[in-house]
């Protein structure tokens, strides 16, 4: 039976950073995003409140800014090669992230079968955030279930890769998980743990159990 490999984005595919941080850095709003991130991590902002704050912060965001942020982000090495190897075995690759969909969906061009993020308005923004489109940790599990159904798989056929508290529920829902440069929230839950800068090495940790 093939497997579905579910990848987090922030702190997992991106080393030591997150899509909102990279976008804000492109706009020269480093200090502002640090303050918002601090409130979110501390639990003072819900995912919806966080999305509304960054939507306001990025009022002048353009597609060119998003492209520059994506291309200049600190990606792990070997992402496309790792995904190509997974796909060559007849397995599936998906990215599921709380970050904005307009950033996450660019990974479809790197070979992911699916890429899901919090649904933001199209850039440049002309409409407000729809709260129903903003993901939380439980939303990752719901998307994983929907992907399993579309690929004819079950949760037992999934491998999750993540780094932080937003991945806890997904790690608990699937049998195999890889903590990638992870914090304490998921490091003890994972079946494997990887520290480094190359996704190929992280994926190779689960090859023996596939």
């Amino acid at each position: 039976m093939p497997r579905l490999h579910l990848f987090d984005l922030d702190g997992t595919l991106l080393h030591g950073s997150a899509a909102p941080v990279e976008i804000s850095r492109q706009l020269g709003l480093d200090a502002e995003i640090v303050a918002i991130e601090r409130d979110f991590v501390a639990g003072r902002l819900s995912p919806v409140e966080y999305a509304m704050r960054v939507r306001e912060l990025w009022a002048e965001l353009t597609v060119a800014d998003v492209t520059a942020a994506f291309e200049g982000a600190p990606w792990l090495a070997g992402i496309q090669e790792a995904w190509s190897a997974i796909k060559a075995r007849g397995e599936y690759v998906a990215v599921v992230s709380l970050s904005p969909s307009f950033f996450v969906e660019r990974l479809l061009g790197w070979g992911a079968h699916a890429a899901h993020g919090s649904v933001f308005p199209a850039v440049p923004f002309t409409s407000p955030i729809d709260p129903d489109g903003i993901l939380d940790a439980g939303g990752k599990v719901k998307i994983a279930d929907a992907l399993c159904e579309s690929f004819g798989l079950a949760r037992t056929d999934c491998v999750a890769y993540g780094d932080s508290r937003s991945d806890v529920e997904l790690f608990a829902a699937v049998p195999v998980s890889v903590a990638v440069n992870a914090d304490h929230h998921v490091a003890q839950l994972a079946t494997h743990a990887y520290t480094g800068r190359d996704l190929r090495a992280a994926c190779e940790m689960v090859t023996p159990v596939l």
Side-chain angles (χ1 to χ4, degrees), residues 31-42:
E32 290 84 349
I33 194 61
V34 166
I36 294 172
E37 289 277 337
R38 186 184 303 119
D39 285 344
F40 182 56
V41 171

Side-chain angles (χ1 to χ4, degrees), residues 93-163:
V93 172
V95 182
V96 185
S97 171
L98 305 190
S99 276
S101 51
F102 60 75
F103 192 96
V104 179
E105 289 168 2
R106 287 175 175 248
L107 289 167
L108 293 170
W110 286 13
H113 290 99
H116 294 270
S118 290
V119 179
F120 270 60
V123 177
F125 299 139
T126 58
S127 56
I129 292 289
D130 178 356
D132 291 339
I134 303 304
L135 295 180
D136 57 16
K140 286 190 172 186
V141 178
K142 292 177 182 177
I143 288 174
D145 285 341
L147 289 170
C148 282
E149 183 175 358
S150 68
F151 294 135
L153 303 174
R155 287 186 184 181
T156 51
D157 304 312
C158 292
V159 181
Y161 303 76
D163 75 302

Side-chain angles (χ1 to χ4, degrees), residues 5 9 14 59 71 75-76 87 103 115 132 137 163 167 171 191 194-195 206:
H5 296 253
L9 172 63
L14 287 176
E71 293 179 350
W75 299 101
L76 292 189
K87 293 165 69 177
F103 192 96
D132 291 339
D163 75 302
D167 302 301
F171 273 36
T191 50
Y194 171 75
T195 301
V206 303

Side-chain angles (χ1 to χ4, degrees), residues 27-99:
L27 295 171
L29 299 169
D30 304 59
E32 290 84 349
I33 194 61
V34 166
I36 294 172
E37 289 277 337
R38 186 184 303 119
D39 285 344
F40 182 56
V41 171
R44 291 188 289 270
L45 292 175
S46 69
V48 171
E49 291 169 333
Y50 175 89
M52 290 180 172
R53 288 279 297 275
V54 296
R55 157 68 175 80
E56 181 179 357
L57 183 67
W58 299 338
E60 303 303 319
L61 185 65
T62 67
V63 173
D65 293 325
V66 178
T67 298
F70 185 90
E71 293 179 350
W75 299 101
L76 292 189
I79 293 175
Q80 295 183 64
E81 293 83 356
W83 290 355
S84 291
I86 290 170
K87 293 165 69 177
R89 298 197 301 267
E91 298 174 354
Y92 300 97
V93 172
V95 182
V96 185
S97 171
L98 305 190
S99 276

